[in-house]
Structures are given as C-alpha cells and as structure tokens.
C-alpha cells in the first residue's frame, strides 16, 4: 500500500520519469569517457582524463547546485542539469569531428555538472512523501535507474556508428537527445520553494550538523562507496581492452554493473526500514571489499563481470543507506547546505579515485588497483567502528 501511495504522488511520478530518462545518459558517458579518451588522448595515461574531468565537475558543481535549488527550486535545478548535459553532448560531437582532446574534456566537464544536478533526485524523492516512506521513496527513485542501466549501453551500441566515419559521435548525439526528452516530465513537477534561511545561519547550521555522529558517518560512507566504485569502474573498459576484450564486451560489463547498482533498490528501502540505515550502509562496504577481492583474483571475463556486479550491489547498499541516514538526520533548514557538502565530499572522492585509477591501472595493473581498493574500504570500516565506539562512550 505504501508503494502505491508513493507512485500515485504526482510530484514523485514526474521526478521518477525524468530521472529514468536523464539517467540513461550516465552509462553512455561512462563508456565514452574511457573509449573516446583512449582514441583522442595524446598519451595512454591520459585516457581516463575525460571521465576524471567529469567527476571533477561534479565536485565543483555539487554545492552550488544544491544552494541554487534551495533558491529556485528542484525543478529548475534539474532542468539546468538537462541543458548542461545537452550542451556538453554537442561539444563532444564537435570534439570528435575536429579531433580535439581538450574540447572532449570540456564537454565531459559540462556533462558532469549536469549529472551533479541529477544526483539530487534522490533527496527530492524523500521530500515529496511522508517521513515514514522516505527510505522507500529514495530507494524507488534509484530503482528507476535500472531502466537507464539497460537502455543506456544499448543506445551506445546502436548509435556509436550513426555518424560514421567518426567513431562514437553518434553515441554522444544520443546523450543530447536523452537530455532534451528528459526535460518533458519535469513539467508535471511542482515542489514548493523551501523557506530561505539567512546565509550565515545556513553555514553555522551546516557546520554544527557535520559534528553529529549520524551525519558524519552518512557523509563518510557515501563518499567511500562512491569513490571506490569509481576507482574500480572507470578503468574497467581500458583494462578489459588491454586483456584482449572488445569494446562491446566492455560495454556489456558496464551495463551489468549498473544493473547491479540499481536492481537491489527494489528491496533496499524495505531492508532499511527493517534493520536501519546504518547497518545496511556498513554491509554495503563489506560487499565492496568482496568485490575488490574477486576483481584481484583474475582477468578472465567472469572476473570482470562478477567483480563489477558485486561492486554494484555493495554500492547500492552503501549509497542508499548513507542517503537515508543523512535524510533522517537533517532538519529542513539544514538540507540545502549539508546536502551540498555531502555531495561535494562524494564528488571529491570520485574525482580523486578517477584521476588515480588511470595512473594506477596504467602503471601497476588491474590486480594492484583492485587490492588497493579493498584495502581502502577495510580502513574505512575500522574508522567507522572506532567512531561508533567513541559515540557509545560519550
């Protein structure tokens, strides 16, 4: 009954439709960031730079977009993200035609800024339903990206040669079309503007909120989940091609990884209601450690498919659990500032991981990269345990 009431909510319906369409661009961007980068990069070590620049844009845009949404509303902020994605896709097509690596990086920067706006769909989902239904609404919103995970890579395969003889230009063109169509469902969304708090008050409340244990742990778990996911996912197509696999196979691995990222969302929200957000989030980190171990165990197709799918499940539990934990821990006047800080930390982790991944996989190899990822998450689990013990003693 609760799920039906959420789906009948007009604002939620418009948000989930827009997120489904706009999210289809994400897997295409991830695939193209590595493959087009490898084609245009002056040095192999720079092949992941477009994808890294894309995550850098998320780092720089996360807080400003959150603050902007607090002023102009969620719908306008999501529309801005769609426009940025459209402009970035057009710039990427031009970059391929004129063989300009710098312009390709700039195009991915614009698309990354657009994607950072789309990250707030999950928070908007929790804001348009009653508080007890918030974890389920957040989980369902991310479930919508399962469709994107299935459709996006297929769009890449169909469109990659559509503008032949220029490779991949058609796939970037499809990203622009997706961004344009995704703006339509936003017309059904009408979320009232939040009450504005004084700027200084917002800053002080954000600093105070970050000192609270649940908020601090939510930000940390979300950043680790996203960062390690990027560290393993971004260089996967390059590692697979180096191992003799085709770009189609690499695309298929990314597709099933993204399916695994969002398919568990059908029940993650209910698990959070049953066991609590923090337990589910921590279990996600444990699963990510298992994924890193599986990735380090070999370089056959089964290892790439298995590791990336297990990684997706771990990300789902860690990221959704952290999002629900943060949503429950914040007052209305804290949301714009703290959510911006949270997504900035997440984008920072992704940016550092993406930049490091290219250098590590080129210099040390896939196995060392996977082992390093597992070690970082193990360290994070130790720090979380120490933080919880300190909170109990306090």
């Amino acid at each position: 009954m609760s799920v039906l009431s959420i789906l009948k909510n007009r604002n939620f319906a418009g948000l989930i439709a827009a997120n489904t369409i706009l999210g289809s661009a994400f897997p295409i961007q991830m695939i193209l960031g590595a493959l087009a980068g490898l084609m245009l990069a002056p040095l192999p070590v720079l092949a992941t730079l477009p994808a890294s620049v894309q995550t850098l844009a998320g780092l720089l845009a996360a807080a400003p977009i959150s603050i902007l949404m607090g002023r102009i509303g969620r719908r306008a902020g999501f529309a801005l993200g769609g426009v940025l994605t459209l402009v970035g896709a057009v710039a990427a097509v031009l970059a391929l035609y004129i063989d300009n690596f710098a312009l390709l990086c700039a195009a991915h920067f614009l698309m990354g800024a657009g994607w950072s706006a789309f990250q707030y769909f999950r928070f908007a989902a929790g804001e348009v339903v009653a508080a007890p239904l918030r974890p389920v609404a957040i989980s369902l919103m991310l479930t919508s990206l399962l469709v994107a995970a299935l459709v996006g890579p297929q769009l890449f395969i169909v469109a990659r040669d559509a503008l032949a003889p220029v490779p991949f230009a058609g796939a970037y063109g499809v990203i622009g079309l997706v961004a344009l169509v995704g703006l339509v469902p936003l017309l059904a969304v009408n979320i009232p503007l939040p009450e504005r708090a004084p700027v200084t008050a917002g800053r002080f409340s954000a600093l105070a909120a970050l000192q609270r244990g649940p908020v601090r742990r939510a930000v940390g778990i979300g950043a680790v989940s996203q960062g390690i996911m990027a560290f393993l996912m971004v260089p996967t197509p390059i590692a697979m091609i180096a191992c003799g696999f085709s770009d189609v196979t690499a695309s298929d691995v990314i597709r099933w990884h993204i399916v695994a990222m969002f398919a568990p969302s059908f029940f993650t929200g209910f698990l959070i209601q049953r066991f609590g957000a923090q337990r589910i989030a921590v279990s996600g980190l444990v699963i990510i450690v298992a994924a890193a171990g599986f990735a380090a165990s070999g370089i056959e197709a089964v290892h790439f498919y298995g590791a990336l799918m297990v990684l997706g499940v771990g990300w789902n539990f860690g990221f959704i659990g952290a999002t629900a934990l943060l949503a429950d821990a914040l007052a209305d006047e804290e949301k714009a500032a703290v959510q911006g800080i949270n997504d900035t930390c997440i984008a920072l982790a992704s940016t550092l991981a993406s930049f490091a991944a290219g250098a590590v996989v080129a210099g040390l190899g896939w196995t060392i990269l996977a082992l390093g990822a597992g070690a970082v998450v193990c360290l994070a689990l130790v720090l979380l345990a120490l933080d919880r013990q300190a909170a109990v003693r306090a």
Side-chain angles (χ1 to χ4, degrees):
M1 183 64 69
S2 61
V3 174
L4 290 177
S5 66
I6 293 173
L7 295 177
K8 289 179 180 178
N9 184 309
R10 178 180 175 180
N11 283 325
F12 184 85
L15 289 170
I16 198 169
N19 193 38
T20 302
I21 297 170
L22 294 169
S24 298
F26 174 67
I28 309 176
Q29 291 170 8
M30 289 296 98
I31 297 166
L32 288 172
L35 298 181
L38 187 63
M39 184 175 70
L40 297 186
L43 297 171
V45 72
L46 297 177
T48 60
L49 187 59
S52 300
V53 167
Q54 182 171 310
T55 58
L56 175 63
L59 167 64
L60 298 177
I65 286 179
S66 181
I67 299 298
L68 184 64
M69 285 185 177
R71 293 179 176 273
I72 66 176
R74 294 291 193 191
R75 182 172 70 173
F78 294 140
L80 174 62
V83 171
L84 289 171
T85 302
L86 173 61
V87 175
V90 173
V93 172
L94 178 60
L96 291 177
Y97 269 93
I98 65 175
D99 195 21
N100 191 311
F101 183 66
L103 182 57
L104 179 68
C105 291
H108 274 269
F109 185 90
L110 290 172
M111 290 186 287
W115 183 249
S116 71
F118 304 153
Q119 297 303 300
Y120 293 100
F121 273 112
R122 70 190 196 276
F123 290 116
E127 294 166 1
V128 298
V129 300
L133 300 177
R134 193 174 292 150
V136 178
I138 293 171
S139 189
L140 287 175
M141 184 58 64
L142 290 175
T143 301
S144 69
L145 294 177
L146 176 60
V147 178
L150 295 171
V151 172
Q154 191 62 38
L155 289 175
F156 164 78
I157 293 171
V158 171
R160 61 178 179 159
D161 297 324
L163 297 178
V166 181
F168 307 130
Y172 279 113
V174 165
I175 291 176
L177 181 61
V178 165
L180 196 61
V181 175
L183 297 176
V184 176
L186 292 174
L187 297 175
V189 176
N190 184 22
I191 304 175
L193 287 172
E195 294 185 7
R196 293 189 187 180
V199 175
T200 54
R203 290 173 180 170
F204 283 122
S205 65
L207 293 174
L210 290 172
Q211 296 177 19
R212 300 200 299 266
V215 175
R216 183 173 60 248
R217 288 190 285 273
V219 174
I221 294 172
V224 172
S225 299
Q226 185 74 11
I228 297 302
M229 189 273 292
F231 189 67
L232 287 169
M233 181 187 70
V234 168
T236 292
I238 295 173
M240 292 189 66
I241 289 174
C243 292
F245 297 100
S246 68
D247 61 343
V248 173
T249 304
S251 169
D252 196 49
V253 168
I254 295 298
R255 175 176 63 178
W256 285 106
H257 163 65
I258 299 175
V259 168
M261 287 173 65
F262 301 114
S265 300
F266 284 109
F267 53 83
T268 306
F270 298 103
L271 290 176
I272 290 172
Q273 285 185 322
R274 174 67 178 84
F275 298 105
Q278 185 164 293
R279 288 181 179 177
I280 297 302
V282 171
S283 69
L285 296 183
V286 175
I287 295 172
I288 291 175
V289 173
F294 194 63
S297 65
I299 54 173
E300 301 297 328
V302 65
H303 297 105
F304 285 107
Y305 274 103
L308 269 291
M309 290 178 68
V310 174
L311 176 66
V313 175
W315 175 88
N316 181 280
F317 281 25
F319 195 74
I320 295 181
T323 299
L325 184 62
L326 184 66
D328 289 340
L330 296 178
D332 289 342
E333 63 272 13
E334 297 173 325
K335 287 180 178 178
V338 179
Q339 287 173 1
I341 293 173
N342 175 72
D343 277 30
T344 298
C345 292
I346 289 172
L348 175 61
S350 294
T351 301
L352 294 176
S354 297
F355 276 101
V360 172
V361 78
L364 300 176
W366 174 254
T367 301
I368 298 300
L369 180 141
L371 291 173
V376 170
V377 182
C378 287
L379 176 60
L381 287 168
V382 171
L383 293 176
L384 282 171
L386 293 175
D387 185 66
R388 289 187 63 185
Q389 289 179 0
V392 170
R393 287 197 299 268

